[in-house]
Amino acid sequence: MSATPPAAPTTVRYRMLFLLCLLAMITYLDRAMYGSAKGDLMAAVGQPEKRFYLVLVAFQIAYALFEIPAGWMGDRFGPRITLLRVVAWFSLFVGLTAFAGYALPGTEIVVIGFGVLVAMQFLFGIGEAGAFPNISKAIYNWFPEDKRGSAKGLVWMSARLMGGLTPFVWVLLVVIGGLTWRQALGVFAAVAALWCVAFYATFRNRPAEHPDVNAAEDELINAGKGATQANEAVPWGRIFTNRNVLALCAMYTVTNFNWYFLMYYLPKTLKDQFPSGNATDGGKLLLALLGGAPLLVGMAGCLLGGLLTDRYIRRTGDRKWGRRIYGMLGYGLAGCCYAAAAAFTGGNLWVFAGCLILVGFTNDLIMGPSWATAQDIGRRYSAIVSGAMNMVGNLGAALGNLITGLILETYTVKQMVDGKEVDVVSGTGYVTCFTMYAVVYGLGVLTWLVIDPTKPVVEEIVAPEPEPEETW
């Protein structure tokens, strides 16, 4: 009698990945919309649009400071309950932001003025801080080692897709569709709340906890992982003094310092440099698409970077250079593209936009390798290490937004557009920013040479396979 062939692994892990990709899309929808909404939002609280960078800095500081606490929560309590708390929290503040500048009925009392708006964005940042470290933890729990880079690349691809579509969605909903900016924010908050319901019903922390996972899939996912120790103390000192972790944090600062221009400032940049595009609905849609295009092509960079790093490691067994090569390549090319954008500022729309679109693609080649490296280094502390990387990176984002905002404010001038006097940034301001970004990317290439993904913070001891019993 022939033996029964072993069952094929189930594919529940891909359903979990789908939920995580949806979450990545929601987080970017709720952040990228500020690139389009900031004019209306600042007018509602009686402030010029050029001061919006203060709102962004408040968000980025909170986002940075709460990365590690949120990562610790994921490692301690599991990504399921942590992500539910994260999304419920930040969706609340997206909804509340819709009431900015709104007077209480029958009074002239405005509860959410500019100061409260800045404070609310700090609270919003606290909420969003836990999303990506706990997505990283969930991927570590649900995917085998040689598929984590690809999975993380898909997550970032999804984030960039939604971030890139958001200016277009905003034009469809608000400019053409007739919704107010307040109603649009309410829609975005509701989408996040619906995700919470689906996630609670479907997601589990580990494969063994999910009723649809068979033994073959559980074994496939957990092959080579060390056993989790109950109530094991987190080695905070080893994490924060580890050379690899410090280098990883420095590397990710480069991305965050440079990249947020594309999400928060590019839509206005195109309007400033090419005002004739605002004359028709078609022109507005075109500028909105070009404004979001760096994020749209960035999703291909995220996916490609993840696939290439995993493929290199599978073919060569060299994890160190399998992560480094694509990080260095992405940063080097992104710096060249920003330098080219500086040269073409104020010139041809398609060439100028094309340079910045390529920044989005080349920068995002590093997303899969960098987050996979955080998992390589962190192992069972991957949420904490990912949180540390994202924390320092977003302190870099806060600094980048502050410096960018000050530069653009310095070069803001009054111009007449369609019979109205408006604030417009001169081309010199954008050239200054792009040149600065190119130099920072050059420094980023060097940081990858210090990172070694083969040296985790804590070595895991994998239990030996039990020897087969003798049969007679």
Side-chain angles (χ1 to χ4, degrees):
M1 183 175 179
S2 60
T4 304
T10 47
T11 57
V12 179
R13 60 193 181 279
Y14 296 115
R15 286 153 50 187
M16 304 302 103
L17 181 59
F18 176 71
L19 285 169
L20 298 173
C21 288
L22 284 180
L23 173 56
M25 295 176 75
I26 290 168
T27 64
Y28 265 57
L29 172 68
D30 289 345
R31 290 156 63 185
M33 60 90 177
Y34 285 119
S36 301
K38 61 183 179 181
D40 290 326
L41 183 57
M42 293 297 279
V45 296
Q47 293 290 320
E49 184 178 341
K50 64 184 179 181
R51 296 194 69 203
F52 189 74
Y53 71 90
L54 296 173
V55 177
L56 299 179
V57 170
F59 169 84
Q60 295 294 167
I61 290 174
Y63 190 79
L65 294 179
F66 285 85
E67 286 289 305
I68 290 178
W72 171 81
M73 287 178 63
D75 283 336
R76 177 68 178 83
F77 302 107
R80 183 172 185 249
I81 188 64
T82 306
L83 284 172
L84 281 170
R85 290 172 179 172
V86 161
V87 181
W89 177 273
F90 77 66
S91 65
L92 170 65
F93 284 98
V94 170
L96 288 175
T97 301
F99 294 95
Y102 188 78
L104 293 176
T107 73
E108 295 183 358
I109 300 173
V110 175
V111 177
I112 305 176
F114 182 65
V116 176
L117 175 63
V118 171
M120 283 177 48
Q121 289 307 296
F122 186 88
L123 295 171
F124 174 50
I126 291 174
E128 284 229 344
F132 284 98
N134 283 284
I135 288 173
S136 185
K137 179 67 174 184
I139 289 175
Y140 179 80
N141 288 352
W142 274 94
F143 279 82
E145 188 174 43
D146 65 343
K147 295 294 189 295
R148 292 178 205 150
S150 302
K152 198 63 186 181
L154 281 169
V155 166
W156 281 107
M157 180 190 77
S158 303
R160 298 305 201 232
L161 170 64
M162 194 67 252
L165 288 176
T166 298
F168 184 75
V169 170
W170 187 266
V171 170
L172 288 178
L173 291 178
V174 178
V175 179
I176 296 176
L179 291 183
T180 66
W181 67 272
R182 301 183 191 276
Q183 291 169 336
L185 265 62
V187 170
F188 297 159
V191 168
L194 288 173
W195 178 90
C196 287
V197 175
F199 186 75
Y200 178 79
T202 308
F203 190 85
R204 299 294 181 270
N205 284 323
R206 296 180 181 277
E209 299 172 12
H210 202 291
D212 295 341
V213 173
N214 67 5
E217 184 176 19
D218 187 46
E219 182 179 353
L220 172 69
I221 291 170
N222 289 297
K225 288 183 182 176
T228 301
Q229 303 296 319
N231 300 318
E232 183 179 21
V234 176
W236 296 104
R238 293 182 68 175
I239 291 173
F240 292 128
T241 59
N242 183 273
R243 175 183 171 181
N244 255 341
V245 174
L246 295 175
L248 190 71
C249 292
M251 176 277 298
Y252 207 60
T253 301
V254 171
T255 286
N256 284 266
F257 186 94
N258 291 339
W259 182 84
Y260 277 95
F261 178 90
L262 301 176
M263 185 159 73
Y264 292 137
Y265 295 100
L266 182 56
K268 178 171 171 54
T269 301
L270 294 174
K271 292 178 183 178
D272 287 349
Q273 295 297 298
F274 306 97
S276 61
N278 295 302
T280 65
D281 285 346
K284 292 174 182 176
L285 284 172
L286 174 62
L287 291 183
L289 281 172
L290 291 176
L295 278 74
L296 290 175
V297 301
M299 68 180 186
C302 291
L303 179 61
L304 183 62
L307 291 172
L308 288 174
T309 183
D310 284 349
R311 180 174 180 269
Y312 186 98
I313 293 169
R314 284 196 299 269
R315 296 187 68 176
T316 67
D318 188 347
R319 182 175 305 277
K320 180 189 295 186
W321 285 100
R323 303 297 190 213
R324 282 180 178 175
I325 285 175
Y326 300 104
M328 296 172 70
L329 180 67
Y331 275 169
L333 292 175
C336 292
C337 292
Y338 258 135
F344 288 104
T345 298
N348 182 276
L349 168 64
W350 295 102
V351 176
F352 177 74
C355 292
L356 295 175
I357 289 169
L358 286 175
V359 171
F361 174 77
T362 53
N363 174 89
D364 285 358
L365 286 173
I366 70 100
M367 298 306 289
S370 61
W371 284 83
T373 299
Q375 294 166 341
D376 295 333
I377 294 171
R379 299 295 179 105
R380 61 181 176 272
Y381 304 111
S382 58
I384 294 175
V385 171
S386 298
M389 178 183 77
N390 216 17
M391 179 194 76
V392 178
N394 277 282
L395 288 175
L399 180 62
N401 277 318
L402 178 61
I403 294 175
T404 297
L406 290 172
I407 290 172
L408 298 183
E409 186 177 29
T410 299
Y411 289 98
T412 295
V413 296
K414 296 287 187 182
Q415 285 188 5
M416 297 298 297
V417 177
D418 296 330
K420 295 186 296 184
E421 191 177 58
V422 297
D423 289 336
V424 174
V425 179
S426 69
T428 304
Y430 294 120
V431 170
T432 303
C433 289
F434 298 158
T435 304
M436 174 179 64
Y437 300 151
V439 172
V440 173
Y441 270 130
L443 297 174
V445 172
L446 300 178
T447 63
W448 273 104
L449 293 173
V450 187
I451 298 169
D452 188 347
T454 65
K455 296 180 179 179
V457 172
V458 177
E459 292 285 352
E460 292 183 337
I461 300 175
V462 181
E465 298 265 346
E467 294 188 9
E469 297 182 2
E470 292 188 38
T471 56
W472 300 89

